[in-house]
Amino acid sequence: MQLISRKTLLLFFLPGAVFMGAFLIYPIITMIMDSFYEIGISGDKTFIGLGNYIHAFTAGGFLKQLKNTLMYIVIAVGAETLLGLLFALFFELDYKGSKVIRSMMMAPLMIAPLVAGLTWKLMMSSSFGIINELLYRVGILSGSSDILWLADEKWSLLACCIADIWLTTPFMMLMILAGLQGIDTSMLEAAKIDGAGLLQQVSRIKLPVIKPVLLTALSVRIIDAARTFDIIWAMTEGGPNSSSETISIIIYKTLTRYNDIGYASAMAIVFIAVLVIFTLVFMQSLWNPKKKNS
């Protein structure tokens, strides 16, 4: 069998390298350069050094959006992980009809985030939304318009989180279920013989064994939730009064509505740097855990 030469291998990688350079590396380099300038509507540039970065963390900066993003990650990813674990443990039992129910649970994954956001926007409408109507029918609300999910600053971010939880919980369930199905059954049988109950099997055997899978799924979802745009934009556009405005939303508004390319570039660079650092630290701790002292 003839080995492929190094030159031929490089030719195979060339289209991918050109694509990466044109659509990833070049835009990032351009964005870094623009972040040091104040760019006018006419395209004239004025060098201001770290002015845009200083502005990002001081008055008029995106600290409120950073707080909203962190709250969004904690609420959405936390609920998705817990629900995904519970559903995975439930479907692991493999009872009659579990495969049919599991297939139905996958339905949200087939829907685009933008469509899911628009759907939940209609469902949470204070005028004709089904959510408030159901809460009113069961007696939780005194009126069908008591909670203004999308127009009240107290509820807008939570409303977006609920839509995200509904959309992405099946992903967490699939990841955790795949980890659970890879556990050696002999360990569980030995635990049962030793008298371990269901809760002890989950806490002492299943969770420690699937920890790498669980942490990988968490890292993917945290990064994905941090850059969420579609659902929030479809439901609230970051309102009211920036109560549901995340970093992705403020970067988009700064670029398209306020036409401040330099400031938007600076915020994007800070955002990318935070995500890259988080990914590197998280993955290093996952694949290279510190050895315990003997």
Side-chain angles (χ1 to χ4, degrees):
M1 180 177 177
Q2 187 177 1
L3 295 176
I4 301 176
S5 65
R6 185 185 297 271
K7 185 177 180 180
T8 306
L9 288 175
L10 290 176
L11 288 175
F12 277 115
F13 282 105
L14 183 60
V18 172
F19 181 87
M20 289 284 289
F23 297 100
L24 180 64
I25 298 175
Y26 175 73
I28 289 178
I29 293 175
T30 304
M31 189 165 53
I32 293 173
M33 294 176 63
D34 288 343
S35 67
F36 296 105
Y37 290 88
E38 183 179 347
I39 304 175
I41 298 177
S42 60
D44 54 310
K45 296 183 178 182
T46 304
F47 183 78
I48 58 174
L50 298 176
N52 287 321
Y53 292 94
I54 295 173
H55 181 58
F57 291 100
T58 55
F62 68 158
L63 293 180
K64 181 177 181 180
Q65 288 75 21
L66 179 61
K67 178 184 176 183
N68 288 342
T69 303
L70 292 175
M71 289 179 61
Y72 188 89
I73 292 172
V74 171
I75 296 173
V77 178
E80 290 161 8
T81 304
L82 180 60
L83 291 174
L85 176 62
L86 293 176
F87 280 124
L89 291 171
F90 179 68
F91 288 121
E92 188 197 15
L93 300 176
D94 198 23
Y95 57 90
K96 186 177 180 180
S98 62
K99 293 182 179 179
V100 176
I101 300 175
R102 190 192 311 173
S103 300
M104 294 174 63
M105 285 283 296
M106 296 300 105
L109 290 178
M110 311 303 170
I111 301 175
L114 185 62
V115 176
L118 291 172
T119 303
W120 278 90
K121 181 178 182 178
L122 295 175
M123 292 173 62
M124 290 182 167
S125 171
S126 58
S127 302
F128 51 81
I130 191 174
I131 301 298
N132 277 2
E133 184 65 26
L134 289 175
L135 294 176
Y136 169 68
R137 293 290 180 89
V138 298
I140 296 177
L141 300 181
S142 57
S144 58
S145 59
D146 283 1
I147 299 180
L148 305 178
W149 291 102
L150 307 177
D152 192 333
E153 295 182 21
K154 296 183 298 183
W155 298 103
S156 58
L157 186 64
L158 179 61
C160 296
C161 290
I162 292 173
D164 191 282
I165 292 168
W166 173 83
L167 182 68
T168 322
T169 295
F171 167 78
M172 295 298 290
M173 182 195 73
L174 276 180
M175 293 288 289
I176 298 172
L177 184 60
L180 290 174
Q181 290 179 340
I183 297 176
D184 188 357
T185 55
S186 62
M187 291 191 299
L188 297 175
E189 292 173 358
K192 291 178 182 178
I193 294 174
D194 291 339
L198 181 60
L199 186 60
Q200 290 176 317
Q201 292 177 37
V202 172
S203 60
R204 300 291 180 85
I205 298 176
K206 293 183 179 181
L207 287 181
V209 171
I210 67 169
K211 183 179 178 181
V213 175
L214 185 59
L215 291 179
T216 302
L218 268 175
S219 65
V220 171
R221 274 303 300 140
I222 289 173
I223 295 172
D224 194 38
R227 60 184 183 84
T228 296
F229 176 85
D230 316 61
I231 289 179
I232 300 176
W233 186 257
M235 293 182 68
T236 65
E237 295 187 11
N241 195 25
S242 301
S243 58
S244 61
E245 199 171 66
T246 58
I247 295 178
S248 297
I249 300 293
I250 189 60
I251 291 174
Y252 175 78
K253 286 184 176 180
T254 303
L255 181 63
T256 59
R257 292 188 177 181
Y258 312 135
N259 201 32
D260 195 341
I261 300 174
Y263 183 41
S265 299
M267 288 191 292
I269 292 299
V270 172
F271 189 38
I272 292 172
V274 170
L275 292 181
V276 169
I277 292 172
F278 167 79
T279 304
L280 292 176
V281 172
F282 196 94
M283 296 310 292
Q284 185 176 6
S285 63
L286 175 61
W287 298 112
N288 298 303
K290 295 181 179 179
K291 295 181 179 181
K292 296 181 180 180
N293 295 328
S294 56

